[in-house]
Amino acid sequence: ATVRIDVKKAGIVQLDLRYIVHGPSWRPVYDVRADTAQNNLELTYNAEVRQSTGENWKGVTLKLSTAQPSIGGREPELSPWFINKLEPLVASAAPAALKAKNSTRSGGQMMNAYVADSAKDEAVAMEVTGATVTTGATAETYVIDRAADILSDNKVAKVNITKQNFSTVYRYSSVPKLSPHAYLKAKAVNKSDFSLLPGPTSVFLDGGFVANASIDLVPAGQEFWTYLGVDPSVSIERKELGRREESSGIFGKKTVKTTYDNVFKIKNAKSSAIELVVWDQIPISDHEDIKVNLEEPKYEKDTDNLKISDGKIMQWKFNLNASEKKDVSFRF
């Protein structure tokens, strides 16, 4: 580096040089240990740090920032949105049009690698007891409290940011239309000063490893759910009892009614009572000639036991005793 300095008079100058380099990054990873007997959730917040700057970091202290400079600091701008009447396609143009219509872009969220501040006094410790947090206007900075070495080999070094214990309540959740399993979840409040960034979790339940899952963004002070894996002692089967069609009306004014009749067969084989939430849906009509009516269960407005969202996602909540079985009708 070449640095040009202007001074008022000659003398000895001590210069501290700070600069930005490309190559450092970190991502959050978590160990989640749930104790169902004590209603306790221990969350170990770690960072996987790597760097390939061409410089080995020796005996330095690491600062981890939640800032995401790769996103940019200015909001995007809208352009005019034009629509037009859809004209019928001629036969020769159909294959190309179908190809364009069926072309899709695969979606999914990709985890950002947060760039570490690479000033002269920053690096990573392989074993760290914790960190202090500084909150700025748009980002947090975690200062790891033990110095160590990070080589410029792009290999992961695991750093402990903090370990927190939360009081929690447990609940089972199931989407039997998509999966026959019941998933155990824990609800807690993030009473720490640390925001929990989105990242993968290794889940340990009552002392044993049970699953890999993930956690969503949880700001400090916010309530959150974390996922603890599948429990085979709770089962939910969605059975289709029948699909009936009835026609009425005269030619030109014909009406067809199709009834979908289903039942949830729920079983709690555990020796203790549980809370279970079941999710399903009814279709949303996108045409004025199609009407959708929910026949069973009866619904007038949201209650603690039954809720329906604007997207017609239904949520049942059950309190099941030990070894209890229950059949729940679902018909539209």
Side-chain angles (χ1 to χ4, degrees):
T2 301
V3 182
R4 184 170 182 168
I5 306 170
D6 292 328
V7 296
K8 293 182 179 180
K9 61 181 180 179
I12 298 174
V13 176
Q14 178 177 318
L15 177 65
D16 291 334
L17 179 63
R18 293 173 178 260
Y19 53 96
I20 294 175
V21 292
H22 297 284
S25 64
W26 75 279
R27 73 163 190 159
V29 293
Y30 302 88
D31 289 335
V32 176
R33 291 176 168 83
D35 186 335
T36 56
Q38 300 296 323
N39 288 335
N40 182 71
L41 185 74
E42 180 187 274
L43 187 143
T44 303
Y45 189 173
N46 299 309
E48 289 185 348
V49 185
R50 63 177 72 207
Q51 66 106 343
S52 57
T53 64
E55 305 170 349
N56 291 326
W57 299 349
K58 297 288 187 178
V60 288
T61 301
L62 181 69
K63 294 180 183 178
L64 302 175
S65 173
T66 63
Q68 303 180 63
S70 61
I71 295 178
R74 178 174 175 174
E75 82 279 5
E77 296 182 3
L78 293 170
S79 299
W81 180 9
F82 300 101
I83 61 174
N84 205 338
K85 183 180 178 181
L86 179 64
E87 299 293 345
L89 298 174
V90 296
S92 60
L98 289 173
K99 182 178 180 182
K101 181 179 179 181
N102 293 327
S103 297
T104 59
R105 181 179 178 182
S106 59
Q109 183 177 3
M110 185 173 183
M111 194 66 183
N112 284 304
Y114 301 96
V115 177
D117 181 6
S118 54
K120 64 158 190 165
D121 58 347
E122 291 144 13
V124 58
M126 297 301 291
E127 295 179 0
V128 184
T129 56
T132 56
V133 58
T134 302
T135 302
T138 60
E140 295 177 356
T141 300
Y142 307 143
V143 183
I144 309 301
D145 64 0
R146 186 179 299 175
D149 300 339
I150 291 291
L151 301 180
S152 180
D153 55 9
N154 210 33
K155 292 183 179 179
V156 168
K158 197 170 185 179
V159 181
N160 175 241
I161 297 175
T162 186
K163 182 182 291 185
Q164 300 287 334
N165 283 279
F166 304 109
S167 298
T168 187
V169 295
Y170 296 98
R171 189 177 84 180
Y172 288 88
S173 185
S174 178
V175 189
K177 182 178 181 180
L178 304 178
S179 170
H181 304 298
Y183 295 83
L184 182 61
K185 301 166 65 175
K187 182 173 70 173
V189 177
N190 180 16
K191 295 183 178 181
S192 73
D193 296 327
F194 296 80
S195 293
L196 307 179
L197 301 176
T201 59
S202 297
V203 180
F204 300 84
L205 184 61
D206 295 330
F209 176 76
V210 293
N212 291 312
S214 62
I215 194 170
D216 298 326
L217 173 65
V218 184
Q222 181 172 298
E223 182 180 274
F224 69 98
W225 288 95
T226 186
Y227 300 88
L228 303 175
V230 172
D231 190 340
S233 59
V234 181
S235 61
I236 305 95
E237 182 184 6
R238 184 185 194 269
K239 296 188 67 175
E240 184 176 296
L241 300 180
R243 183 181 302 182
R244 304 184 303 277
E245 287 197 358
E246 305 172 28
S247 299
S248 60
I250 59 176
F251 181 78
K253 295 287 184 179
K254 190 175 182 181
T255 298
V256 178
K257 177 183 177 182
T258 304
T259 302
Y260 298 83
D261 199 358
N262 307 275
V263 65
F264 301 123
K265 303 186 76 66
I266 303 172
K267 180 180 179 181
N268 174 26
K270 302 180 72 67
S271 58
S272 57
I274 64 167
E275 182 180 285
L276 170 68
V277 170
V278 176
W279 304 84
D280 213 300
Q281 63 188 150
I282 53 177
I284 302 173
S285 172
D286 200 27
H287 196 285
E288 61 180 6
D289 289 340
I290 302 175
K291 310 296 181 185
V292 180
N293 298 313
L294 177 65
E295 295 184 355
E296 188 71 27
K298 301 299 181 183
Y299 174 84
E300 294 182 357
K301 62 180 182 179
D302 284 355
T303 65
D304 289 341
N305 297 324
L306 178 62
K307 297 179 180 179
I308 302 179
S309 72
D310 292 338
K312 302 304 180 182
I313 304 299
M314 302 182 63
Q315 173 190 318
W316 291 261
K317 183 161 69 173
F318 305 103
N319 292 304
L320 300 173
N321 295 322
S323 303
E324 182 178 356
K325 298 180 181 180
K326 183 184 292 287
D327 288 351
V328 179
S329 297
F330 175 39
R331 184 172 64 252
F332 60 88

